[in-house]
């Protein structure tokens, strides 16, 4: 999935996959913060957004 | 390749007469040059309409889905791989089929010829490696290699992978071609350029779904584009809807596509949407060493688990 | 809206990450408020359609976690 999105020109940091067990709340918090930081760094999404949907 | 026609008619007649099959799926002359159409022959006296030349690019496996009769089918390399995929996916049973293998030297791209020809094309004949095009202005000749469909020119599975009979001796496989050269070229582009490239590539799309209908893999009773509750992809010609459609269509073919070129051939505006499916083919090859439809006994990469499956995208 | 905050649509498996999120909650852990959680019965339920739909409707990123 990620590969083709990237191939079509979507930033790699727009999509994340991870594996967290239900006991790993610390890892969960860590991953949330990490992903948020990454997405903040690349800015708002312009790709694959349907412009009409924004108007509505 | 046109020399196959007589052998084919004989084979079809024999299969029908001996009642080994109820129908034979092949090609007959279309009403326009370079537009051979698929045909289903049910009676031995009708086999003489069958023909074979370099305009048989449509994938015949498309006509097997959910059929219950006993079927004789002519299969090029790519058709045979799609037949294997159909067997794996239980869309047709192996016992129903008499697969007549057709070694293939590639099909010609009618767009290339139309672009080169002067005036309306009246007839197209072939003589070995030469394609003769008759127009009102006169006759033009092309080398077949120059007007091949792009997927045929980089094909590495020209001979059927599965067959009960063969129409002729297998042809030599191409070994010095890189099927994924065009995908690699796109991967090498910077991000912005890639986005713009696909914008440009997909912009003529009119959402006619001919690519989906021509594809032997697309047999879902209700296609995701026709679903309205929930609606996954908008039905408009909005650039994002078009992109979503092509993206998801490619994903449905992941690990199943044999790059037969039926989608591109069917496209009325000539979009090379094969770039998307091919990218996934390339990934399947690189990540799972999988090429679709090579053996009916192997489970596809995407429905089997192996301990060494790559997982470095999971953090 | 002084500063832009990303919206991250998160598809969490009921049995794994959703549990982890729950545990993080009951443990009163602090984490970034940018995620919008969608609980799915299993990561196997995930489909490329979901990710695209999220992006189309204006998500800034998609996170799938099993």
């Amino acid at each position: 999935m990620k590969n083709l999105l990237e191939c079509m020109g979507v930033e790699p940091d727009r999509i994340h996959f991870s594996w967290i067990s239900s006991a790993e709340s610390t890892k969960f918090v860590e991953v949330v913060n990490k992903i948020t930081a990454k997405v903040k760094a690349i800015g708002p999404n312009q790709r694959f957004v349907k412009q009409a949907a924004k108007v509505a | 390749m046109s020399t196959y026609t007589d052998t084919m008619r004989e084979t079809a007649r024999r299969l029908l007469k001996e009642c080994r099959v109820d129908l034979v799926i092949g090609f007959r002359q279309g009403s326009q040059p370079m537009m051979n159409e698929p045909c289903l022959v049910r009676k031995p006296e009708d086999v003489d309409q069958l023909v074979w030349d370099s305009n048989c690019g449509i994938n015949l496996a498309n006509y097997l889905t959910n059929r219950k009769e006993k079927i004789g089918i002519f299969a090029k390399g790519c058709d045979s791989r799609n037949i294997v995929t159909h067997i794996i996916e239980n869309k047709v049973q192996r016992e129903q089929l008499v697969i007549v293998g057709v070694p293939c030297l590639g099909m010609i791209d009618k767009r290339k010829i139309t672009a080169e020809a002067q005036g309306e094309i009246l007839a197209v004949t072939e003589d070995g490696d030469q394609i003769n095009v008759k127009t009102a202005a006169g006759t033009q000749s092309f080398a077949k290699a120059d007007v091949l469909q792009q997927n045929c020119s980089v094909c590495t599975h020209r001979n059927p992978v599965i067959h009960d009979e063969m129409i002729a001796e297998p042809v030599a496989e191409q070994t010095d071609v890189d099927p994924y050269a065009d995908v690699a070229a796109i991967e090498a582009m910077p991000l912005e350029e890639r986005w713009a490239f696909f914008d440009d590539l997909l912009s003529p799309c009119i959402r006619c779904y001919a690519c989906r209908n021509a594809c032997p893999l697309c047999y879902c009773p209700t296609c995701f584009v026709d679903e309205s509750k929930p609606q996954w992809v908008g039905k408009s010609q909005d650039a994002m809807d078009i992109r979503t459609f092509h993206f998801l269509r490619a994903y449905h073919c992941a690990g199943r596509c044999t790059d037969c070129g039926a989608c591109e051939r069917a496209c009325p505006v000539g979009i090379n949407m094969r770039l998307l499916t091919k990218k996934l083919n390339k990934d399947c090859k690189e990540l799972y060493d999988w090429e679709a439809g090579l053996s009916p006994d192997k489970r596809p990469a995407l429905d089997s688990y192996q301990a060494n499956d790559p997982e470095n995208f999971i953090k | 809206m002084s500063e832009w905050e990303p919206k991250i649509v998160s598809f969490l498996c009921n049995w794994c990450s959703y549990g982890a999120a729950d545990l993080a909650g009951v443990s009163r852990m602090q984490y970034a408020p940018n995620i919008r959680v969608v609980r799915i019965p299993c990561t196997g339920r995930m489909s490329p359609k979901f990710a695209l739909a999220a992006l189309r409707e204006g998500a800034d990123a998609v996170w799938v976690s099993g």
Side-chain angles (χ1 to χ4, degrees):
Chain A
M1 165 103 199
K2 195 170 171 168
N3 280 353
L4 187 61
L5 269 178
E6 264 177 58
C7 186
M8 281 179 92
V10 173
E11 299 94 330
D13 278 342
R14 287 274 177 232
I15 183 151
H16 298 265
F17 297 90
S18 66
W19 199 348
I20 303 170
S21 140
S22 58
E24 296 176 313
S25 58
T26 41
K27 181 175 173 190
F28 177 83
V29 172
E30 204 178 288
V31 174
V32 170
N33 289 331
K34 208 165 71 193
I35 292 176
T36 309
K38 275 189 179 167
V39 178
K40 267 189 181 164
I42 53 174
N45 181 26
Q46 310 289 338
R47 305 282 156 83
F48 263 104
V49 184
K50 197 176 167 185
Q51 294 306 324
K54 271 188 174 172
V55 179
Chain B
M1 275 211 283
S2 44
T3 51
Y4 293 167
T5 302
D6 291 335
T7 332
M8 271 180 165
R9 290 179 183 166
E10 270 326 299
T11 312
R13 187 173 290 125
R14 175 165 47 82
L15 291 176
L16 286 165
K17 267 197 179 146
E18 290 171 1
C19 292
R20 282 177 64 198
V21 297
D22 301 322
L23 70 139
V24 170
I25 306 182
F27 282 93
R28 70 176 167 215
Q29 201 77 49
S31 51
Q32 285 184 4
M34 299 188 286
M35 294 283 271
N36 284 357
E37 57 192 23
C39 88
L40 276 56
V41 179
R42 289 176 189 273
K43 295 188 200 129
E45 53 268 32
D46 292 338
V47 297
D48 286 332
Q49 38 179 319
L50 290 173
V51 294
W52 192 274
D53 56 22
S54 300
N55 301 303
C56 299
I58 293 172
N59 196 322
L60 292 180
N62 206 8
Y63 301 90
L64 290 177
T65 317
N66 292 336
R67 277 192 188 278
K68 300 284 174 245
E69 307 105 312
K70 280 195 258 168
I71 306 166
I73 183 165
F74 293 109
K76 310 183 281 291
C78 47
D79 300 61
S80 73
R81 290 172 64 197
N82 277 107
I83 293 171
V84 168
T85 309
H86 263 60
I87 295 170
I88 291 177
E89 294 171 0
N90 274 324
K91 284 289 133 186
V92 71
Q93 301 301 318
R94 179 69 183 93
E95 301 72 49
Q96 282 175 263
L97 301 176
V98 177
I99 303 169
V100 185
V102 185
C104 172
L105 289 169
M107 293 294 156
I108 56 179
D109 186 339
K110 68 173 190 297
R111 289 194 189 91
K112 284 188 187 162
I113 292 196
T114 318
E116 295 282 329
Q118 281 134 18
E120 191 190 348
I121 295 167
L122 301 175
V124 175
T125 51
E126 58 187 284
D127 185 11
D129 287 337
Q130 195 177 330
I131 309 288
N132 301 312
V133 180
K134 191 168 160 245
T135 61
T139 308
Q140 284 173 275
S141 296
F142 300 94
K144 185 170 167 179
D146 295 337
V147 290
L148 275 186
Q149 287 187 175
Q150 199 265 341
N151 61 316
C152 294
S153 62
V154 294
C155 175
T156 53
H157 295 282
R158 290 171 145 188
N159 293 303
V161 294
I162 181 174
H163 58 84
D164 299 300
E165 302 183 14
M166 285 290 272
I167 213 88
E169 288 300 309
V171 293
E173 295 285 3
Q174 309 190 92
T175 46
D176 52 347
V177 290
D178 175 13
Y180 303 118
D182 44 357
V183 179
I186 295 174
E187 285 170 340
M189 291 181 192
L191 199 82
E192 293 295 322
E193 218 171 286
R194 263 180 276 158
W195 183 262
F197 175 84
F198 280 102
D199 252 355
D200 195 45
L201 180 80
L202 300 176
S203 61
C205 179
I206 55 172
R207 300 288 294 275
C208 66
Y209 305 141
C211 46
R212 172 196 72 180
N213 288 4
C215 180
L217 302 173
C218 284
Y219 54 66
C220 293
T222 309
C223 179
F224 71 97
V225 298
D226 298 325
E227 278 181 342
S228 53
K229 275 184 184 173
Q231 191 187 61
W232 294 113
V233 45
K235 295 175 192 295
S236 74
Q237 279 194 59
D238 180 273
M240 283 314 120
D241 285 340
I242 293 178
R243 207 179 261 256
T244 311
F245 162 62
H246 282 284
F247 185 92
L248 287 176
R249 193 194 70 84
Y251 256 94
H252 284 189
C253 304
R256 305 162 69 217
C257 175
T258 59
D259 201 27
C260 68
C263 46
E264 190 186 3
R265 191 185 175 89
C267 182
V269 289
I271 296 173
N272 181 7
M273 68 289 279
R274 279 177 32 246
L275 282 174
L276 295 170
T277 43
K278 223 160 138 186
K279 161 71 181 153
L280 293 172
N281 285 358
K282 181 166 177 268
D283 284 352
C284 277
K285 177 86 181 132
E286 283 170 2
L287 297 173
Y288 307 106
D289 194 24
W290 166 259
E291 278 183 288
L294 292 186
S295 155
D297 310 317
K298 255 167 79 182
R299 292 309 298 172
L302 293 185
D303 80 21
S304 56
Y305 171 76
Q306 256 134 33
N308 61 356
D309 279 347
E311 51 173 28
N312 49 13
F313 67 97
I314 302 173
K315 288 187 204 91
Chain C
M1 280 279 279
S2 54
E3 203 183 324
W4 169 77
E5 290 286 338
K7 278 197 279 286
I8 304 169
V9 175
S10 317
F11 295 92
L12 304 186
C13 162
N14 185 25
W15 309 107
C16 311
S17 299
Y18 195 85
D22 193 37
L23 185 58
V26 295
S27 318
R28 301 283 186 270
M29 287 170 147
Q30 293 279 328
Y31 59 87
N34 304 73
I35 64 166
R36 308 289 188 274
V37 178
V38 178
R39 177 167 67 157
I40 51 177
C42 167
T43 322
R45 182 66 187 89
M46 192 55 203
S47 153
K49 290 170 183 175
F50 300 170
L52 287 184
L55 291 176
R56 190 176 66 224
E57 302 296 332
D60 293 304
V62 173
W63 173 33
V64 183
S65 189

